[in-house]
């Protein structure tokens, strides 16, 4: 479960662009002050995630073919999402 308001830009990208697959391991660190939750975005340094992805379909860049049966890692913070593909 990932709350809609938590790192919403990163969450929106992941939900939209990874419609299939499993995430066997996920680590998320939060360091947010109470006033950060009232902002539309969490500050870059207040969230960091590292997720292992397997058997995924990833629409990485609009107009390009999707990765299928992909495996790799996904890292995100309050501002960016980075994907490293190891298979697919």
């Amino acid at each position: 479960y990932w709350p809609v308001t938590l790192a919403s830009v990163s969450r929106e990208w992941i939900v939209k662009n990874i419609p299939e697959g499993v995430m066997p391991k996920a680590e998320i660190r939060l360091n947010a002050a109470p006033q950060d939750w009232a902002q539309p975005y969490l500050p870059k340094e207040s969230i960091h995630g590292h997720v292992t992805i397997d058997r995924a379909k990833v629409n990485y860049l609009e107009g390009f073919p999707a990765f299928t049966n992909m495996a790799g890692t996904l890292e995100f913070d309050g501002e960016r999402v980075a994907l490293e593909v190891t298979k697919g």
Side-chain angles (χ1 to χ4, degrees), residues 10 20 42:
S10 296
E20 300 173 14
L42 285 175

Side-chain angles (χ1 to χ4, degrees), residues 17-69:
N17 292 294
I18 307 177
E20 300 173 14
V22 295
M23 296 180 180
K25 183 177 179 182
E27 298 174 16
I28 299 174
R29 289 190 321 260
L30 287 172
N31 185 22
Q35 63 272 18
D36 292 339
W37 297 103
Q39 305 301 317
Y41 303 100
L42 285 175
K44 177 182 191 265
E45 54 284 330
S46 49
I47 185 167
H48 180 265
H50 183 89
V51 180
T52 303
I53 301 171
D54 195 22
R55 299 185 308 267
K57 176 181 178 183
V58 179
N59 303 306
Y60 192 71
L61 197 56
E62 191 172 327
F64 287 84
F67 291 112
T68 56
N69 197 29

Side-chain angles (χ1 to χ4, degrees), residues 2 7 10 14 28 47-51 74-78 80-81:
W2 186 342
S10 296
I14 291 167
I28 299 174
I47 185 167
H48 180 265
H50 183 89
V51 180
L74 182 74
E75 288 207 41
F76 63 91
D77 58 30
R80 67 176 187 87
V81 176

